[in-house]
């Protein structure tokens, strides 16, 4: 089975949080200038596109991105589809199949035009977190820029997840991805002291019986 890219392409027009640093790629030297090589430089927010949040993003005492276990971001993941909701509640999760898979990707389809930063998204009800913890979830990924409502200042879902030891992946592209079991790779960069990192996230289906 081939790997499927579930990452947003990075370009100067990629929407970012209102007021956050825009993505920029430019040449430090072009081949013509240097005589030998093109060399680029990138400026971006750590929360651009498909990215993970380190707990330090919302908790001064939380782990930094270089302290996170790489094993969280590689391995079996379940994809579930929960479209057309204002928020994801425990009852929605209870309707799905569970069992032994510690990574969960939720396709909400609630960020329709990825060229524009969304005003409203389907978010995670913090009351659903104990259920996720009970199912042994350690990583949750959504197809929206935040697990909380866009205008949230208190970030209750971020905090509830972290209190339950569940790590966060945001901005995955799950259009056309069917429910099922996949392998996931979405490694953050080892940015020392970082609050988050862009990731290249890929999945590939695995047979349920494996
Ligand atoms: N980058 C920002 C700039 C300003 C205000 C919030 C953010 C966020 O990133 C918050 C969001 N809850 C996030 O975890 O991605
Ligand atoms: Zn983030
Ligand atoms: Zn976040």
């Amino acid at each position: 089975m081939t790997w499927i890219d579930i990452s947003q392409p990075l370009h100067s027009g990629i929407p970012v949080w209102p007021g956050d640093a825009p993505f920029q790629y430019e040449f430090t030297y072009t081949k013509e200038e240097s005589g030998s090589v093109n060399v680029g430089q990138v400026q971006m927010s750590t929360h651009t596109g498909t990215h993970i949040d380190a707990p330090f993003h919302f908790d001064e005492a939380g782990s930094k991105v270089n302290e996170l276990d790489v094993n969280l971001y590689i391995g079996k993941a379940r994809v579930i589809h929960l479209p057309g909701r204002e928020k994801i509640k425990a009852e929605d999760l209870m309707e799905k199949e569970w069992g032994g898979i510690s990574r969960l990707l939720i396709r909400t389809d609630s960020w329709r035009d990825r060229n524009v930063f969304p005003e409203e998204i389907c978010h995670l009800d913090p009351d659903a977190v104990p259920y996720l913890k009970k199912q042994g979830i350690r990583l949750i990924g959504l197809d929206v820029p935040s697990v909380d409502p866009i205008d949230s200042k208190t970030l209750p879902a971020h905090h509830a997840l972290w209190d339950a030891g569940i790590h966060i992946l945001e901005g995955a592209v799950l259009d056309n991805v069917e429910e099922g079991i996949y392998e996931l790779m979405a490694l953050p960069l080892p940015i020392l002291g970082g609050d988050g990192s862009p990731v290249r996230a890929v999945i590939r289906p695995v047979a349920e019986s494996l």
Side-chain angles (χ1 to χ4, degrees):
M1 287 283 197
T2 56
W3 291 91
I4 305 160
D5 192 355
I6 57 163
S7 324
Q8 296 180 48
L10 299 171
H11 59 97
S12 61
I14 190 172
V16 295
W17 278 83
D20 205 351
F23 180 90
Q24 260 185 63
Y25 172 84
E26 57 190 32
F27 290 106
T28 310
Y29 314 102
T30 63
K31 189 161 184 295
E32 205 182 335
E33 284 163 358
S34 69
S36 59
V37 284
N38 288 314
V39 178
Q41 56 176 286
V42 170
Q43 190 183 334
M44 70 191 295
S45 162
T46 46
H47 300 268
T48 304
T50 311
H51 71 277
I52 62 105
D53 288 355
F56 176 60
H57 176 49
F58 47 88
D59 179 346
E60 291 290 354
S63 322
K64 314 277 173 61
V65 71
N66 57 296
E67 296 163 353
L68 300 171
D69 184 353
V70 292
N71 292 286
L72 286 164
Y73 304 99
I74 310 171
K76 269 194 191 171
R78 185 184 300 277
V79 173
I80 64 172
H81 192 196
L82 293 169
R85 286 165 175 76
E86 186 208 335
K87 61 182 175 184
I88 297 157
K89 298 193 249 171
E91 296 92 273
D92 299 317
L93 301 171
M94 283 169 196
E95 286 168 15
K96 301 293 180 183
E97 255 182 74
W98 296 91
I101 295 176
S102 61
R103 301 173 196 82
L104 175 68
L105 299 175
I106 306 179
R107 174 179 162 198
T108 72
D109 290 337
S110 67
W111 184 5
R112 299 256 164 66
D113 181 359
R114 235 176 257 106
N115 297 308
V116 189
F117 199 81
E119 279 173 22
E120 274 190 5
I121 52 169
C122 173
H123 59 276
L124 181 70
D125 184 344
D127 291 347
V129 171
Y131 184 78
L132 295 171
K133 188 182 181 186
K134 203 173 98 195
Q135 298 303 331
I137 298 301
R138 300 294 318 285
L139 176 73
I140 186 171
L142 270 77
D143 58 356
V144 286
S146 183
V147 292
D148 276 298
I150 297 295
D151 58 3
S152 173
K153 289 275 178 263
T154 53
L155 305 176
H158 282 79
H159 286 281
L161 287 166
W162 176 228
D163 289 345
I166 303 173
H167 293 74
I168 301 169
L169 168 69
E170 294 167 329
V173 179
L174 298 172
D175 314 352
N176 311 313
V177 176
E178 302 296 330
E179 289 197 332
I181 300 171
Y182 294 80
E183 277 181 277
L184 167 75
M185 288 205 261
L187 286 169
L189 301 172
I191 303 168
L192 294 200
D195 65 296
S197 171
V199 296
R200 184 71 181 266
V202 292
I203 56 173
R204 71 174 174 188
V206 294
E208 293 230 14
S209 56
L210 289 180

